[in-house]
């Protein structure tokens, strides 16, 4: 091996890499740090606003003369004059225009792109994909080329939890709580239980159950509640009459003062449609009464259900499959008027609603964020997924998928989040009994958290070539204990996460191509990072400058541990890679004694790595070479120092040595 190349590696791992990547520190422990809400950004920065003032006024907008003028200017390619006319025309769209005139949305998006307004172009391409009713694979491919689907960036769950498990063996980062928990027999029954709602103080849990089964079909739905004391839920109790009746009741929400209940009742003779929204008032004796249908302004001849209140309780959101919507089911809202009555129901619009189904709206009790379930949004992991959308300056932003830790390959709906944003409650079925829904709790992950609006982004490049690097990036929340799903770096080496501001995070980037990177981030505001590291050359041994034993001894010294721990972390994070350790001495002294000493030193290092990482010892081969393989002739003390070394050779699968040697007390590979 050329001396210059090895000397560069010696310097590299003795100085540059340790300084740049950071050494393995003492185990980091979570510290709970209360941050006042006044210090947090509750909503993200305002996005592009798409306004369609005619949505709830006219079903279909049409103006043949204006459309003719637009077509005429398009033929002349007079784009600067086309743009304001086409903007005005599309801005007048009613709900029906979104599926009948989808091509105009597409043409407006193309025009924005042609004139360099990329953000607006993408926004209109999204509308095309959400509302088209014909095969438009070309649009989908074109959109995908402009905006990479974020679902492809998430590490598969199995691999994600393997990463977590590996990391636990060498550090005391608090492991994720990401395991769904059945809420138990106190709440769940042998029948279907679903439709959860948690009251603002999180001590009252309301849900729907079919356990009564008084109908011949066995499908009677009633409302139940449970109270939480000292962390345990009491056995569910029926709301009883007059809320529960011979008809179906479900999907309830409770006002902040606990005195008004909004719920759905189906198949009632005094209803306007299949299911209607009702209210009930808590009387002075603690019973419920004054049941009231919210009326024809709110309810339709179709299905209206799943109500949720805004934090100020002046707006009620609900799902409906009434005619005149964007899709099979849409989200609507009503305002409380000055006279205390509810206004006419209005559609929430084309950014949230799609040609498919949107159901299960849930407005967070503290923040301006609406959660809902959909099968028509552009980023999805299964059938129905849960999304969140922020209300900023009176406008709803593009919905964000709450991520694969919640959304699986099946359907997720009938859910709620507690006011403290700690847990998500939702209904799911087990594989052994797919038809029987039970209620589960799940620790709220970062993607679903209402305060996760501060962006941490960056790019990882090679320090020598400046080319982007690939790998897996994980974020550990060290203050709030909120789980963050791991992602792949993009092809250009970039990454981004939406996190909670005024919090402390540990960033971990790992790859078989470089040593794992650990970097602590104290996130105050939107942050962009540029990270550089050096690729591992598997054909060249790694030599760490500070691996110097006491003369004639093979004991691991404290100052050696930081370098060895980097090897440990790499081996833990990459279980498919093996390691060769070679001990070398200078030529002074007895050659046989040097050979034995170098062998014991190599074995000592192996034992440290195996024990610290809890590794299979068969992955590591340790051997002493004595003074048989000097790097250079020894004329000076400096020459001897260069020859006294420990070489580490990382072995990828299928590229290992053909040797099968056994060192003392260890197997080969």
């Amino acid at each position: 091996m050329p001396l210059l190349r090895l000397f560069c590696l010696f310097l590299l791992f003795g100085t540059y890499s340790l300084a740049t990547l950071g050494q393995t520190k003492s185990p980091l422990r979570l510290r709970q740090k209360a941050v006042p809400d006044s210090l947090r950004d509750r909503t993200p920065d305002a996005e592009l606003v798409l306004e369609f003032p005619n949505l709830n006024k006219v079903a279909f907008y049409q103006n043949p003369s204006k459309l003719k003028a637009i077509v005429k200017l398009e033929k002349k390619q007079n784009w600067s004059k086309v743009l304001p006319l086409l903007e005005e025309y599309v801005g007048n769209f009613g709900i029906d225009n979104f599926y009948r005139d989808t091509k105009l949305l597409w043409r407006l998006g193309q025009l924005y792109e042609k004139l360099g307004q990329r953000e607006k172009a993408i926004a209109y391409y999204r509308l095309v994909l959400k509302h088209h009713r014909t095969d438009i694979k070309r649009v989908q491919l074109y959109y995908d080329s402009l905006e990479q689907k974020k679902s492809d960036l998430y590490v598969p769950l199995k691999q994600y939890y393997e990463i977590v498990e590996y990391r636990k063996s060498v550090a005391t980062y608090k492991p994720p709580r990401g395991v769904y928990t059945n809420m138990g027999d106190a709440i769940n029954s042998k029948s279907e239980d679903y439709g959860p709602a948690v009251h603002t103080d999180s001590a009252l849990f309301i849900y729907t159950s079919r356990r009564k089964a008084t109908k011949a079909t066995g499908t009677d739905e009633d409302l139940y509640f449970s109270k939480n004391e000292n962390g345990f839920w009491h056995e569910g109790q029926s709301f009883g009459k007059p809320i529960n009746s011979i008809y179906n009741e479900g999907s309830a929400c409770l006002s902040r003062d606990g005195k008004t209940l909004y719920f759905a009742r189906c198949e009632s003779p005094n209803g306007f449609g299949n299911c209607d929204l009702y209210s009930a008032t808590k009387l002075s004796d603690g019973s419920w009464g004054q049941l009231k249908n919210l009326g024809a302004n709110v309810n339709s001849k179709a299905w209206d259900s799943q109500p949720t209140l805004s934090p100020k309780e002046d707006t009620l959101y609900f799902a409906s499959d009434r005619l005149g919507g964007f899709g099979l089911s849409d989200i609507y809202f009503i305002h409380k008027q000055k006279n205390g009555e509810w206004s006419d129901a209005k559609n929430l619009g084309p950014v949230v609603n799609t040609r498919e189904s949107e159901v299960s709206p849930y407005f967070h009790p503290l923040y301006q964020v609406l959660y809902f379930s959909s099968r028509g949004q552009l980023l999805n992991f299964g059938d129905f997924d849960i999304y969140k959308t922020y209300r900023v300056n009176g406008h709803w932003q593009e919905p964000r998928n709450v991520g694969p830790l919640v959304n699986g390959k099946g359907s997720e709906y009938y859910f709620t989040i507690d006011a403290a944003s700690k847990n998500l409650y939702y209904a799911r079925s087990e594989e052994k009994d797919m038809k029987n829904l039970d209620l589960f709790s799940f620790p709220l992950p970062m993607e679903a958290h209402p305060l996760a609006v501060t962006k941490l982004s960056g790019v990882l490049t090679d320090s020598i070539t400046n080319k982007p690097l690939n790998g897996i990036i994980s974020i550990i929340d060290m203050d709030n204990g909120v789980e963050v799903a791991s992602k792949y770096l993009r092809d250009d080496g970039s990454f981004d996460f939406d996190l909670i501001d005024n919090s402390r995070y540990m960033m971990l980037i790992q790859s078989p191509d470089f040593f794992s990177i650990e970097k602590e981030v104290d996130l105050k505001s939107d942050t962009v990072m540029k990270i550089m590291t050096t690729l591992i050359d598997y054909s060249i041994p790694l030599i760490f400058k500070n691996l110097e034993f006491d003369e004639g001894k093979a004991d691991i010294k404290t100052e050696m541990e930081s370098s060895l721990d980097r090897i440990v972390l790499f081996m833990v994070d990459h279980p498919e890679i093996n390691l060769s350790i070679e001990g070398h001495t200078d030529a002074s002294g007895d050659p046989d004694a040097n050979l034995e000493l170098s062998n014991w030193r190599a074995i000592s290092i192996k034992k440290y790595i195996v024990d610290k990482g809890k590794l299979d010892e068969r992955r590591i081969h340790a051997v002493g070479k004595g003074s048989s393989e000097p790097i250079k002739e020894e004329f000076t003390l400096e020459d001897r120092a260069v020859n006294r070394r420990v070489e580490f050779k990382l072995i990828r699968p299928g590229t290992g040595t053909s040797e099968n040697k056994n060192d003392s007390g260890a197997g080969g590979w």
Side-chain angles (χ1 to χ4, degrees):
M1 179 186 304
L3 175 61
L4 177 60
R5 193 175 185 189
L6 184 57
F7 182 67
C8 288
L9 273 178
F10 181 91
L11 291 178
L12 177 67
F13 287 94
T15 55
Y16 175 82
S17 283
L18 289 177
T20 306
L21 304 186
Q23 301 181 33
T24 302
K25 303 175 183 178
S26 59
L28 291 163
R29 300 184 182 276
L30 288 172
R31 63 182 183 195
Q32 296 298 326
K33 180 176 65 173
V35 177
D37 283 340
S38 60
L39 296 179
R40 298 197 187 280
D41 293 326
R42 299 189 183 188
T43 56
D45 294 335
E47 294 178 350
L48 176 71
V49 175
L50 302 180
E51 292 194 80
F52 301 96
N54 270 350
L55 276 182
N56 290 291
K57 296 178 181 178
V58 300
F60 181 70
Y61 170 78
Q62 191 173 29
N63 190 318
S65 61
K66 289 187 177 181
L67 198 56
K68 186 176 180 180
I70 290 170
V71 173
K72 186 176 179 179
L73 288 170
E74 282 181 333
K75 288 180 178 179
K76 293 181 179 180
Q77 299 187 2
N78 194 338
W79 308 123
S80 61
K81 290 186 177 180
V82 171
L83 181 59
L85 294 179
L86 189 55
E87 282 179 323
E88 180 191 6
Y89 195 94
V90 170
N92 285 318
F93 271 15
I95 289 176
D96 289 355
N97 289 94
F98 282 82
Y99 73 88
R100 293 173 63 178
D101 286 335
T102 314
K103 287 184 178 179
L104 292 181
L105 296 171
W106 171 242
R107 281 154 65 179
L108 183 55
Q110 286 183 306
L111 188 54
Y112 279 132
E113 188 178 6
K114 186 184 293 289
L115 297 178
Q117 300 182 48
R118 188 173 183 273
E119 184 183 4
K120 288 185 177 180
I122 290 176
Y124 279 94
Y125 293 152
R126 286 196 193 110
L127 290 179
V128 173
L129 294 173
K130 288 182 182 182
H131 298 286
H132 73 88
R133 298 194 183 180
T134 57
D135 184 13
I136 52 167
K137 291 181 180 178
R138 186 167 64 93
V139 181
Q140 181 70 64
L141 292 172
Y142 191 75
Y143 173 81
D144 289 347
S145 69
L146 289 176
E147 185 153 295
Q148 184 175 3
K149 288 189 71 175
K150 292 183 179 178
S151 60
D152 299 334
L153 298 177
Y154 284 103
V155 172
L157 280 186
K158 183 177 182 295
Q159 186 176 356
Y160 167 74
Y161 285 114
E162 286 176 350
I163 292 171
V164 170
E165 196 62 33
Y166 297 150
R167 184 63 56 174
K168 281 164 58 180
S169 67
V170 291
T172 56
Y173 300 122
K174 186 175 180 180
R177 299 181 299 136
V179 178
Y180 59 83
T181 303
N182 189 298
M183 296 189 70
D185 294 340
I187 287 180
N188 289 311
S189 67
K190 294 181 179 179
S191 301
E192 295 170 73
D193 303 283
Y194 50 94
V198 182
H199 192 232
T200 306
D201 61 6
S202 299
L204 184 65
F205 188 80
I206 302 171
Y207 61 105
T208 307
S209 179
R210 285 182 167 171
R211 65 189 65 185
K212 189 176 177 182
T214 57
K215 287 188 176 181
T217 57
T219 58
D220 188 44
E221 296 172 289
D222 278 350
L223 283 168
Y224 286 74
F225 68 91
S226 174
K227 294 183 178 180
N228 190 298
E229 284 188 337
N230 300 319
F232 295 95
W233 294 104
H234 285 222
E235 187 164 348
Q237 300 178 53
S238 171
F239 269 90
K241 295 179 180 180
I243 291 177
N244 290 327
S245 69
I246 61 173
Y247 310 109
N248 286 336
E249 287 82 25
S251 299
C253 68
L254 190 64
S255 62
R256 190 182 298 108
D257 63 9
K259 294 181 179 180
T260 306
L261 184 76
Y262 298 93
F263 64 99
R265 174 175 284 177
C266 303
E267 302 170 357
S268 174
N270 70 342
F272 294 92
N274 176 30
C275 292
D276 281 11
L277 296 176
Y278 288 75
S279 66
T281 302
K282 197 168 191 178
L283 306 178
S284 57
D285 63 357
S287 64
W288 291 94
Q290 300 180 16
L291 264 68
K292 180 182 177 182
N293 187 301
L294 295 191
N297 288 349
V298 176
N299 292 308
S300 68
K301 295 180 180 180
W303 171 81
D304 301 287
S305 186
Q306 302 172 343
T308 182
L309 280 168
S310 65
K312 293 183 179 180
E313 301 190 347
D314 58 353
T315 308
L316 187 76
Y317 298 83
F318 63 98
S320 176
D321 66 357
R322 65 186 64 191
L323 295 175
F326 287 99
L328 302 176
S329 172
D330 282 6
I331 296 174
Y332 290 79
F333 67 96
I334 52 178
H335 285 300
K336 180 84 57 94
Q337 301 177 115
K338 290 182 179 179
N339 61 4
E341 297 296 319
W342 292 104
S343 66
D344 292 347
K346 294 183 179 181
N347 192 290
L348 202 58
V351 174
V352 171
N353 291 316
T354 70
R355 71 185 187 281
E356 288 285 350
S357 295
E358 279 68 44
V359 294
S360 300
Y362 171 73
F363 210 119
H364 196 284
L366 298 180
Y367 309 110
Q368 290 293 311
V369 55
L370 178 72
Y371 295 83
F372 64 97
S373 186
S374 172
R375 66 189 310 181
Q377 302 297 325
L378 304 187
L379 170 60
N380 67 300
F381 295 94
D383 189 21
F384 277 93
D385 274 11
I386 299 173
Y387 297 81
K388 65 177 180 179
T389 177
Y390 289 90
R391 186 173 173 82
V392 181
N393 299 331
H395 299 280
W396 292 107
Q397 297 200 335
E398 180 65 21
R400 308 180 184 196
N401 192 297
V402 301
L405 297 182
V406 172
N407 293 318
K409 294 181 179 179
S411 294
E412 282 73 35
Y413 41 74
Y414 293 133
F415 65 93
T416 190
I417 297 169
D418 60 18
S421 304
K422 293 293 184 184
N423 290 294
L424 174 81
Y425 299 93
Y426 68 114
R428 69 183 301 274
S429 56
E430 296 286 8
E431 190 174 351
K432 60 184 179 182
D433 189 4
M434 293 298 291
K435 292 183 179 181
N436 183 22
L437 290 169
D438 273 351
L439 288 162
F440 289 76
S441 66
F442 188 95
L444 194 69
M446 187 65 71
E447 287 84 353
H449 202 286
L451 293 176
V453 296
T454 302
K455 191 171 291 295
L456 173 66
S457 58
V459 63
L460 176 65
T461 58
D462 186 312
S463 60
I464 297 175
T465 65
N466 209 33
K467 291 182 179 179
L469 299 178
N470 295 319
I472 293 174
I473 180 167
S474 304
I475 301 291
I476 296 174
D477 181 345
M478 298 169 65
D479 286 333
N480 307 291
V482 180
E483 188 171 356
V484 189
S486 298
K487 297 180 181 179
Y488 295 108
L489 296 174
R490 296 186 183 92
D491 291 339
D492 62 0
S494 67
F495 61 87
D496 63 74
F497 290 86
D498 290 326
L499 304 173
I500 302 172
D501 64 342
N502 290 289
S503 299
R504 191 170 57 105
Y505 299 93
M506 175 58 68
M507 175 191 298
L508 306 171
I509 309 178
Q510 53 196 102
S511 166
D513 297 326
F514 50 82
F515 276 93
S516 299
I517 299 170
E518 296 189 9
K519 188 172 182 63
E520 189 172 336
V521 181
D522 194 0
L523 190 65
K524 300 295 184 184
S525 59
D526 288 350
T527 301
V528 180
M529 307 179 69
K530 185 172 183 180
I531 306 169
M532 303 182 78
T533 190
T534 305
L535 291 176
I536 296 172
D537 188 338
Y538 280 82
S539 65
I540 301 176
L542 309 178
I543 301 174
F544 291 87
K545 188 176 181 180
N546 64 344
L547 292 187
E548 296 182 0
F549 291 89
D550 288 336
E551 184 176 353
K553 294 185 178 181
D555 299 322
I556 301 295
K557 297 162 63 177
T558 302
E559 54 266 32
M560 300 165 63
E561 292 181 359
S562 61
S563 294
L564 293 179
D565 284 350
R566 296 183 61 221
I567 294 288
V568 172
L569 283 172
F570 188 85
M571 296 296 289
V572 166
D573 288 341
H574 302 92
E576 75 284 0
I577 289 179
N578 293 324
L579 175 68
S580 171
I581 303 171
E582 293 183 359
H584 297 267
T585 67
D586 59 39
S588 63
D590 178 65
D592 291 336
N594 286 341
L595 181 62
E596 183 178 4
L597 178 61
S598 65
N599 194 56
W600 279 114
R601 286 176 173 175
I603 292 172
S604 181
I605 290 175
K606 171 178 176 172
K607 186 178 186 304
Y608 178 90
I609 293 173
V610 168
D611 292 347
K612 187 73 178 284
K614 298 180 175 61
L615 302 173
D616 183 345
E617 65 177 19
R618 291 174 297 180
R619 292 177 57 196
I620 303 175
H621 176 63
V623 65
K625 299 284 188 175
S627 57
S628 61
E629 297 181 6
I631 292 176
K632 60 185 302 185
E633 292 186 56
E634 298 177 5
F635 298 107
T636 65
L637 293 176
E638 288 76 14
D639 296 339
R640 289 183 178 180
V642 170
N643 286 334
R644 292 194 304 271
R645 67 197 186 278
V646 178
E647 295 185 359
F648 298 88
K649 295 178 181 178
L650 296 169
I651 313 296
R652 287 179 181 269
T655 61
T657 175
S658 60
E659 296 178 283
N660 187 21
K661 300 178 181 178
N662 290 334
D663 47 49
S664 299
W669 28 261

